């Protein structure tokens, strides 16, 4: 799994090599979105029970 | 004819032979002649076909036969929906040689119910955008001001309804593409619950988020059209009409109401006041993960769109408009792991919206943070806050594509400048008809009657 920085560098390099440098701003936006996704609380964690559960609302949302 | 407000009124007039389908269809075609080019709402006008269908509908009435609830009613289709023998351009040069071999399932259902298909409307290329600025056929212009965008991606559909070029239109909604132009142009738009209406024969954007639904003049028309389009039988039959005093609506204020144009905020608060005065209970609800909607949405939608377009974008990249090509090309770099992470986040959002709806009948919020925006605008500024036009237009709608909850927009009284403002109701998953019942209650209290 590449870091977001490495992913972005590789993607930009591929696009520039193929003459599509105009893709860069969208790739940068995707990199910023990936940072949010990877830091999110719902992500699975194979070392801990429970953190992978997303089917129920957060405890603080249950009424 | 112009006094008849609903499709049911119109078909009653046909049945009593007070008016003919041919005359109504001719009136729509005359409007297309007058304002179709100025608004750029239509890509293909099916005048001969529509007139033949209208005459056939009139002959059937004369013979005492009515095909269904849309008998003789002129309806337009977003040009992403297949009609056999007619091009489905998706507003893209990619499809310049395309002719559909079969009718989409929803077209079969519309024609079985008697609809007269009058033409195919302009859209944001491949439905990949909320402004309608990017189309191989040029942008769609707002009916009240040609310098403004209709909103998108079903922009031509919204304009065709708002101007009386058709009595209703069928659009698609992947991030808000029915509700956004409906709100910007002042008509009703329904995104049914995910899976209620089949997408067979409709060019996909994102298979996880694509919905098909109507744009029309009233909630009653939305109900009628949903009953024709839907695969979900109305087994329960008509439920008791909800009474205002027994209805509880939840407003998610955090995130959703943080950045609104002053005119939109004023219209929304006025709608809330009117509903309270009518006896409706309004609560504040919370959807904390809503702030993460945009990253979740973009990772699922762009990956799925990139998969659909991969072969074509390699062979003919020059046939896409540049902004669409760039987005699709970037989507091809999305990693499977991040796509699945977004799908997992989607489950969290579903759970949170379900929880927000657990204590109320529907959610109530504006449809758009702003009114119609200038064609070509790149960003929107509201006070100290500035964001991209795409993100802004999708901000209040895309969550419910991610979660699949049914959502409807209806016009509120316009701003002092005369621009439409949309009020959005969101119902429980799988309960589109219940949402329509609630919308029928809200419409006369907080809505604004259609006029064209």
């Amino acid at each position: 799994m590449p870091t977001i920085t490495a992913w972005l560098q590789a993607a930009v390099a591929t696009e520039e090599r193929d003459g599509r440098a105009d893709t860069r701003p969208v790739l940068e936006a995707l990199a910023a979105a990936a940072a949010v996704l990877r830091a999110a609380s719902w992500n699975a964690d194979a070392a801990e029970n429970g953190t992978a559960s997303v089917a129920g609302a957060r405890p603080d949302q249950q009424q | 004819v112009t006094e008849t407000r609903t499709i049911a009124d119109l078909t009653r007039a046909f049945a009593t032979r007070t008016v003919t389908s041919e005359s109504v269809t001719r009136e729509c075609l005359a409007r297309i002649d007058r304002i179709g080019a100025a608004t750029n709402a239509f890509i293909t006008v099916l005048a001969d076909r529509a007139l033949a269908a209208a005459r056939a509908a009139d002959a059937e009435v004369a013979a005492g036969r009515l095909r269904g609830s849309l008998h003789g009613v002129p309806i337009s289709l977003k040009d992403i929906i297949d009609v056999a023998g007619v091009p489905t351009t998706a507003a893209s040069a990619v499809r310049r040689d395309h002719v559909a071999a079969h009718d989409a399932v929803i077209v079969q259902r519309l024609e079985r119910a008697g609809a007269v298909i009058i033409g195919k409307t302009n859209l944001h290329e491949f439905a990949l955008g909320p402004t309608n600025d990017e189309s191989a056929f040029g942008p769609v212009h707002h009916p009240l001001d040609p310098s403004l965008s209709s909103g998108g991606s079903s922009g031509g559909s919204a304009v065709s309804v708002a101007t009386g070029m058709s009595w209703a239109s069928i659009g698609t909604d992947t991030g808000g593409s029915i509700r956004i132009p409906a709100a910007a142009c002042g008509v009703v738009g329904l995104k049914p619950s995910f899976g209620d209406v089949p997408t067979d024969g409709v060019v996909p954007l994102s298979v996880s988020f694509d919905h098909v639904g109507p744009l029309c003049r009233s909630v009653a028309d939305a109900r009628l059209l949903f009953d024709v389009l839907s695969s979900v039988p109305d087994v329960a039959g008509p439920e008791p009409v909800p009474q205002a005093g027994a209805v509880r609506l939840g407003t998610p204020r955090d995130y959703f109401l943080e950045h609104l144009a002053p005119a939109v905020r004023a219209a929304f608060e006025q709608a809330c006041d009117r509903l309270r005065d009518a006896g409706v209970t309004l609560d504040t609800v919370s959807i904390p993960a809503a702030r993460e909607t945009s990253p979740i949405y973009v990772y699922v939608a762009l990956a799925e769109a990139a998969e659909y377009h991969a072969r074509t974008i390699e062979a003919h990249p020059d046939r896409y408009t540049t902004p669409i090509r760039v987005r699709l090309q970037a989507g091809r770099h999305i990693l499977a792991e991040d796509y699945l992470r977004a799908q997992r986040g989607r489950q969290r959002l579903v759970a949170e919206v379900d929880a927000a709806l657990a204590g109320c009948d529907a959610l109530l919020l504006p449809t758009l943070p702003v009114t119609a925006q200038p064609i070509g605008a790149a960003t929107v500024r509201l006070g100290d806050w500035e964001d991209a036009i795409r993100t802004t237009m999708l901000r209040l709608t895309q969550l419910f594509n991610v979660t699949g909850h049914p959502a409807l927009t209806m016009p509120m009284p316009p701003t002092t400048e005369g621009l439409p403002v949309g009020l959005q109701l969101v119902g429980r998953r799988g309960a589109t008809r219940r949402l329509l019942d609630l919308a029928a209650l809200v419409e006369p209290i907080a809505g604004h009657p259609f006029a064209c």
Side-chain angles (χ1 to χ4, degrees), chain A residues 15 22 30 38 43 52 58, chain B residues 299 325 333 338 341 348:
Chain A
E15 292 300 306
D22 53 2
L30 284 176
R38 293 186 190 186
N43 284 310
R58 292 170 175 170
Chain B
Y299 261 77
R325 173 184 59 74
H333 290 276
D338 287 325
R341 200 166 270 124
R348 168 64 64 85

Side-chain angles (χ1 to χ4, degrees), chain B residues 78 127 129-130 151-155 172-184 189 191 205 209 211 215 297 367-368 393-402 407 409 424:
Chain B
K78 184 177 186 177
S153 63
S154 310
T172 61
D173 190 317
T174 303
S177 284
I178 288 172
R179 291 161 289 157
I180 290 166
K191 180 197 82 67
L205 173 55
F209 298 158
H211 298 67
L215 299 94
Y297 178 83
T367 310
L368 281 171
M393 300 297 274
L394 294 166
R395 183 175 172 89
L396 307 183
T397 53
Q398 65 183 352
L399 169 61
F400 310 110
N401 295 83
V402 171
T409 183
Q424 187 174 200

Side-chain angles (χ1 to χ4, degrees), chain A residues 1-2 7 11 14-15 20 22-23 26-27 30 33-34 36-38 41-44 52 54-58 61 63, chain B residues 286 288 292 295-296 298-299 302 322 325-327 329-330 333-335 337-338 341-342 344-345 347-348 351-352 355 359:
Chain A
M1 181 70 171
W7 172 83
T14 300
E15 292 300 306
R20 297 186 295 260
D22 53 2
T23 310
V26 182
L27 290 169
L30 284 176
V36 175
L37 292 178
R38 293 186 190 186
S41 60
W42 65 71
N43 284 310
V54 292
R58 292 170 175 170
Q61 288 307 299
Q63 299 179 4
Chain B
S286 178
E292 283 135 357
I296 292 168
V298 77
Y299 261 77
L302 266 195
T322 299
R325 173 184 59 74
V326 162
R327 263 176 258 155
Q329 196 63 44
H333 290 276
I334 288 174
L335 300 174
E337 193 172 305
D338 287 325
R341 200 166 270 124
R344 186 179 286 275
Q347 295 172 50
R348 168 64 64 85
E352 289 195 1

Side-chain angles (χ1 to χ4, degrees), chain B residues 325-408:
Chain B
R325 173 184 59 74
V326 162
R327 263 176 258 155
L328 292 171
Q329 196 63 44
R332 302 190 72 194
H333 290 276
I334 288 174
L335 300 174
E337 193 172 305
D338 287 325
Y339 171 81
L340 291 169
R341 200 166 270 124
Q343 289 283 14
R344 186 179 286 275
R346 184 181 175 202
Q347 295 172 50
R348 168 64 64 85
L349 287 171
V350 169
E352 289 195 1
V353 176
D354 283 347
L357 281 161
C360 59
D361 297 293
L363 304 182
L364 181 75
L365 64 160
T367 310
L368 281 171
V370 291
T371 53
Q373 294 294 294
I375 289 174
T379 60
V380 174
R381 174 172 281 283
L382 294 171
D384 295 336
W385 180 82
E386 186 173 23
D387 207 345
I389 185 88
R390 278 180 59 80
T391 317
T392 304
M393 300 297 274
L394 294 166
R395 183 175 172 89
L396 307 183
T397 53
Q398 65 183 352
L399 169 61
F400 310 110
N401 295 83
V402 171
T403 65
H405 291 79
L408 177 144

